[in-house]
Amino acid sequence: MSTSTLVRRRSLLLSAAASAALAACGGGDDDGAADAPAAWRVPAETEPQQAVMLASIGYDYKVGWSILETQAAMIAALAPSVPVVYLVNSAEEREAMRLALGAAQMSGTQIAQRVRFLTVEHAEMWVRDYGGIFQTTARGDLRMVDFDFDGYGYNAFSGPDTNDTYNTDNDLAVRVGAAMGVECVRSPLVCEGGNLHFNGRGTVIALLGDGTEGVGLLGRNKGWTAAQIEAELKRVFSVTKVIFLKRNMPSDAHTVMQTPYRMPDDVWAYNVGVTHIDEMIAWVDERTLLLPEVTGAELAAAIAAGDPVTQLAHDVLQEAHAILSAATDQDGRPFTIVRVPEPGPIVVELTPDDNAWWMIADMNQHPTHKLKGAERFANEEPVSYLLPASYMNFVVSDGVVLVPRFYQPGRDLTLKDKDAAFAQIIAARYPGRRVVQIAPDALLAGGGGLHCITQQIPKQVAWQFAV
């Protein structure tokens, strides 16, 4: 089936294949469960996991930045501690990953024992967002929650090719659930897993936004109020406390509505952001949060250099700190907030040879809001690109934590110190787990990071990992 023939999930004209998958996955928009709603919960990412899910992608966003190699490094680091489920479209994709894992020093026996290849149709790799969010009960049941998906708010801005790609993945959770034999329940809310961080005990933190089109939960759910969004999250996840942060990080900004940013030396930098909470915070335990910090010295240097990204990041993070400092958990207890490094702006060049360049160029279809500097793309000129770099976009699993390493030769040397400092913080805060640094640039070029391309499957009895 070509992507051009796919339809959105809530269209009245579901294809026969989608209808079959819906039936296998539970179908409908009711909760479909015999248990009382309070019985279901999303375990914290620090709780035991049965496997971690990733998915293939058929192209790189930037020439020379290999997604396959990055994923192979992640899987090789995860596999000794937790098995991996890897979604593929074809035998060719399966074999390509086997070869990449071999190059990453995994033996054939290790691959056979620790990696399960699951054939499920998909277009891209962002399984955190639309691959389904797993819930469990105390008796060991397992199910998935599936939200509506509007291409990260870009459907109104992008052309048909980009939208066909996003629409292909609108039902990925349905197909994953059918392939795994796991019930799937659905919500009409437009949301992604990357914009929800659960403490596992009844509290979830999300980025609400200010209602700007395509940005945050408010901008993505026209006609919904903040109170209605909160009520839906409580209904679906049985949480009792929802905490909303207001603004997204500038490194995670909407391409049309919020960028480009004018950087030092008159450079205009674009971004492909999705305004997610996993760029801003992470849970250490049910009452302890990590939150980046722009130091006073970094702010002063940014003001002197005319760097608006660092200045805005400072303001956003200070606002988030104020909100979280005043908030409490589901039991009325305050949080401990641990400040960690903020990498600052990392700007690279994109050219028409890069898929990410074309992804940005395609975002000029909105009837009112147009891509700033569109003439650069019309003339096929190189553009500057602000990577969505955040230390918060890391992966916690059984026995291991994958953290980003942003320094590369030629970049600001302070990144090397920040990489080391963050790894030390993680080692201290997540004792008993190996800390493995992974260069995420190939993922950042597409708008996400390590956390974005993974989804944990809780350790429960309803579904068992098997090769």
Side-chain angles (χ1 to χ4, degrees):
M1 180 187 298
S2 68
T3 56
S4 62
T5 64
L6 291 169
V7 294
R8 290 184 62 81
R9 173 173 66 218
R10 287 161 178 79
S11 167
L12 295 176
L13 300 176
L14 282 171
S15 68
S19 297
L22 282 170
C25 202
D29 286 322
D30 57 81
D31 68 10
D35 296 88
W40 292 99
R41 73 181 182 97
V42 178
E45 294 177 28
T46 52
E47 294 184 52
Q49 299 173 13
Q50 187 168 171
V52 175
M53 181 170 65
L54 294 90
S56 65
I57 184 171
Y59 49 86
D60 293 323
Y61 287 105
K62 182 169 172 58
V63 173
W65 291 12
S66 172
I67 293 172
L68 188 66
E69 290 180 9
T70 303
Q71 288 186 327
M74 294 173 66
I75 293 171
L78 288 167
S81 301
V82 61
V84 172
V85 173
Y86 190 71
L87 307 183
V88 296
N89 288 289
S90 64
E92 289 77 14
E93 289 185 348
R94 182 170 60 248
E95 183 58 24
M97 178 50 78
R98 288 187 190 277
L99 292 174
L101 292 174
Q105 306 305 309
M106 283 190 72
S107 68
T109 299
Q110 290 172 323
I111 297 170
Q113 292 177 346
R114 304 298 286 177
V115 182
R116 176 178 177 181
F117 293 95
L118 201 61
T119 302
V120 179
E121 180 193 10
H122 62 280
E124 291 209 348
M125 60 183 172
W126 311 106
V127 293
R128 171 71 53 180
D129 295 332
Y130 42 68
I133 300 171
F134 290 90
Q135 292 181 302
T136 64
T137 67
R139 71 183 187 190
D141 302 309
L142 186 68
R143 75 178 187 182
M144 300 168 66
V145 173
D146 178 32
F147 289 105
D148 198 8
F149 181 57
D150 66 349
Y152 298 111
Y154 286 124
N155 279 355
F157 301 86
S158 300
D161 289 344
T162 300
N163 287 346
D164 281 348
T165 296
Y166 289 139
N167 288 340
T168 298
D169 287 332
N170 193 356
D171 277 324
L172 181 58
V174 173
R175 295 190 292 275
V176 170
M180 290 177 53
V182 175
E183 179 191 16
C184 189
V185 298
R186 302 163 70 177
S187 168
L189 188 72
V190 176
C191 184
E192 295 92 38
N195 198 24
L196 301 169
H197 249 316
F198 300 86
N199 75 344
R201 296 296 179 268
T203 297
V204 63
I205 304 178
L207 185 68
L208 183 65
D210 60 3
T212 301
E213 185 170 358
V215 179
L217 287 172
L218 271 181
R220 304 272 298 285
N221 290 278
K222 296 300 182 184
W224 292 61
T225 65
Q228 289 171 325
I229 293 171
E230 178 178 347
E232 178 65 1
L233 292 175
K234 288 180 176 179
R235 182 191 75 83
V236 173
F237 293 115
S238 302
V239 294
T240 56
K241 188 64 175 286
V242 177
I243 300 171
F244 287 132
L245 299 187
K246 296 178 181 179
R247 290 191 288 173
N248 55 292
M249 293 291 287
S251 57
D252 189 30
H254 191 288
T255 307
V256 179
M257 301 302 295
Q258 297 178 314
T259 65
Y261 292 107
R262 188 170 185 174
M263 306 294 290
D265 302 319
D266 292 326
V267 171
W268 290 87
Y270 294 84
N271 185 254
V272 180
V274 293
T275 62
H276 279 176
I277 200 69
D278 64 1
E279 290 285 298
M280 294 183 67
I281 63 103
W283 293 101
V284 173
D285 56 46
E286 62 186 85
R287 291 180 56 196
T288 305
L289 288 159
L290 301 182
L291 178 72
E293 179 180 29
V294 174
T295 67
E298 289 172 329
L299 177 61
I303 294 172
D307 167 13
V309 172
T310 299
Q311 295 178 59
L312 181 55
H314 171 271
D315 294 345
V316 168
L317 291 170
Q318 288 302 100
E319 178 184 79
H321 185 265
I323 292 171
L324 294 171
S325 295
T328 57
D329 70 2
Q330 69 284 342
D331 298 316
R333 301 173 300 178
F335 298 113
T336 297
I337 302 172
V338 178
R339 305 306 294 267
V340 302
E342 158 61 21
I346 303 174
V347 179
V348 301
E349 184 179 79
L350 298 179
T351 76
D353 292 330
D354 299 315
N355 282 306
W357 187 97
W358 289 100
M359 182 167 59
I360 297 172
D362 192 42
M363 292 185 193
N364 202 37
Q365 312 301 316
H366 194 281
T368 304
H369 304 295
K370 296 297 181 181
L371 182 67
K372 296 180 181 68
E375 65 277 1
R376 295 179 176 88
F377 299 94
N379 297 331
E380 298 196 1
E381 300 173 9
V383 298
S384 293
Y385 180 68
L386 177 64
L387 295 179
S390 171
Y391 286 111
M392 295 299 88
N393 210 301
F394 65 92
V395 179
V396 180
S397 192
D398 294 5
V400 64
V401 185
L402 309 186
V403 300
R405 183 183 69 247
F406 295 122
Y407 177 74
Q408 289 187 10
R411 290 182 181 170
D412 193 320
L413 282 172
T414 60
L415 279 174
K416 181 180 289 189
D417 295 333
K418 289 181 178 181
D419 288 347
F422 183 70
Q424 290 174 359
I425 291 171
I426 293 298
R429 292 287 172 173
Y430 299 86
R433 289 176 165 92
R434 294 176 294 117
V435 178
V436 180
Q437 293 177 302
I438 304 285
D441 288 21
L443 316 178
L444 301 179
L450 305 175
H451 191 254
C452 302
I453 69 164
T454 61
Q455 182 61 274
Q456 67 275 0
I457 302 173
K459 186 177 286 296
Q460 293 294 333
V461 299
W463 180 83
Q464 295 296 319
F465 177 91
V467 177

